[in-house]
Amino acid sequence: MADESLNAFENVKKEETKVDSNRKFRIAFIGTGWIAGSHINALKKQPDVEIVAGADLIPGKAEAFFKKHGIEGVKTDYASHKELIDDKSLELDAVSICTYNTQHAEPAIYALKNGLNVLLEKPFTVTLEEAVAVCKAEKESGKVLSIGFQPRLDENMKMIKKIVDSGALGKVYYLQSGGGRRRGIPFPFGTTFIEKETGGIGALGDIGCYSLDMLLNAIGYPKPLTVSGYKSNFFGTDPNYSEYVKSGHSDYAEKFGVDDFAAAFVRLEGDIILDFRISWAMNMDTPGDALILGTKGGLRIPSTNCWNGSVGGPMKLYHEVAGEQTVTEIPIIQPEGNLFTGLFEKKVRSFIDACKNGTPAPVPSSQILYNQAIIDGIVKSAELGREIKIKIPEI
C-alpha cells in the first residue's frame, strides 16, 4: 500500500552556496596526520581559503605533509600549537585541529581563548570534563566551534531527521544503534588510534560517536539521564587477531589499550530508551540495523560495514494507512561523486560560511556535548560495573 504523505521526501533540492573569494579565509593546521589529508583536500577546493601554517609534535612532519599536498609558502617551524597560535603575523581566522584524540581539548581551548574559530575533528574529546572545558572557552570567545561530524550532512542522514520531524513516527520511545565492523581495528596508520595515551577511547570515539549522532540528531538531541555501559578489548589485545597476523603487527596487541567493542542501555529525557552497540571487531557481520520506534511508525535504517557516512541501503518505514499495516521504502539518495570526499567538502564549507557570516556552527558543541556525555558515561559505568547518572554541568 502506497503512502502519498511521504512523496515529498523523495524530492531533495541541492543547496547552492555563493562564495565571496575577495577576502581569503586564513586557516592553519594543528596536527598533520592521516585525517588531516581529508581536511586539506577539501580546503584546497575552496576558492576563498588560504592555508598558511601548520604544527605537529613530530619535527618535520608538517613540512612533509604540505609538500605532499602541493601547498607552498606554509610556515611550519613551530614546536607546539601554542607557538603557532601565538604567531600573530599569520593573521589567522581559524585552525583545523587534526591531532590524536587525547590532544583535542588543549589546542581547541587555547585557540578559542586567542580569538580563533575552530574546526575540531571527532571525537569531540575523550572525557566529558574536557568537552565541558572546551564549551566554556567557546562561550567566552564568541567564536565558531564546529565538530567533525560530516555524516549528518549526507542527504540520506538528513532524510532520517525529515521523517522524524514530519510526525510520521509519532512519539519516539526507543532507539537502537546499528552497524559496526567485523574486523576493522584501525592500525594501518600506526598506533595512535589504539594506544591509551593517544586514543583514549577506541571504537566508542572513532565510530560510536557517529552512530549516536545519527539517532540523537534525528530526534533533537534529548539530554541523557542514566547509562549502564559495557566495553571490552578481546580482539585488540590478542596477538592472534587475524588482521595483526596478516600485516605482521602482532606486537600491536601489547600496545592496545582502548575498547574494540562497547554496548549500553541509556535513558534519555522524554521517556526515550537508547539501546547502543558499536564494534571495531566481533564475530558477527553486524549487531543489527538502526531502529527508531514511535507510536505511529517505526524506521529501519540498514547498517553499514564501516560507517562510511551514509546508510547501508533503502530505509523502510513501518506504519499503518487506513487501518492496514504497510511498509514504505525510502529510496537511497545517491551522492554526486565520492561520498567520503564530498562530505568533507561540505563539512569545511559549512564551517567557513558560519565563520564568515556569523551564523551558528553547522555541528554545534551544545549537541555533541550530550554525545560525549554518553560516551564518557559508558566508559565510567563499564569500569564501575553498574548503572550511573549522567551529570552535565551548566556551561
Side-chain angles (χ1 to χ4, degrees), residues 205-221:
D206 181 36
I207 52 178
C209 64
Y210 284 153
S211 178
L212 288 170
D213 189 63
M214 179 181 75
L215 296 171
L216 296 176
N217 182 54
I219 65 170
Y221 256 100

Side-chain angles (χ1 to χ4, degrees), residues 93-129:
D93 293 299
V95 291
S96 175
I97 298 178
C98 301
T99 62
Y100 47 77
N101 297 347
T102 57
Q103 285 296 307
H104 279 190
E106 185 178 345
I109 292 170
Y110 196 75
L112 289 164
K113 286 186 174 181
N114 280 272
L116 298 180
N117 300 295
V118 174
L119 177 59
L120 179 60
E121 193 40 60
K122 62 81 188 169
F124 189 175
T125 55
V126 170
T127 68
L128 175 59
E129 291 77 12

Side-chain angles (χ1 to χ4, degrees), residues 309-345:
S310 189
V311 298
M315 295 180 284
K316 292 184 178 180
L317 175 64
Y318 295 78
H319 56 140
E320 292 185 356
V321 176
E324 297 292 332
Q325 296 181 53
T326 187
V327 180
T328 298
E329 185 172 284
I330 313 298
I332 285 286
I333 304 167
Q334 297 295 343
E336 293 184 3
N338 182 278
L339 172 67
F340 186 79
T341 58
L343 290 180
F344 263 83
E345 288 172 27

Side-chain angles (χ1 to χ4, degrees), residues 176-180 211 214-215 277-278 286-291 303-304 307:
Q176 173 182 298
S177 71
S211 178
M214 179 181 75
L215 296 171
R277 70 292 299 271
I278 201 66
T286 175
D289 294 336
L291 305 177
S303 65
T304 63
W307 268 100

Side-chain angles (χ1 to χ4, degrees), residues 144 352-361:
V144 174
I352 295 163
D353 289 340
C355 295
K356 295 179 71 173
N357 301 329
T359 52

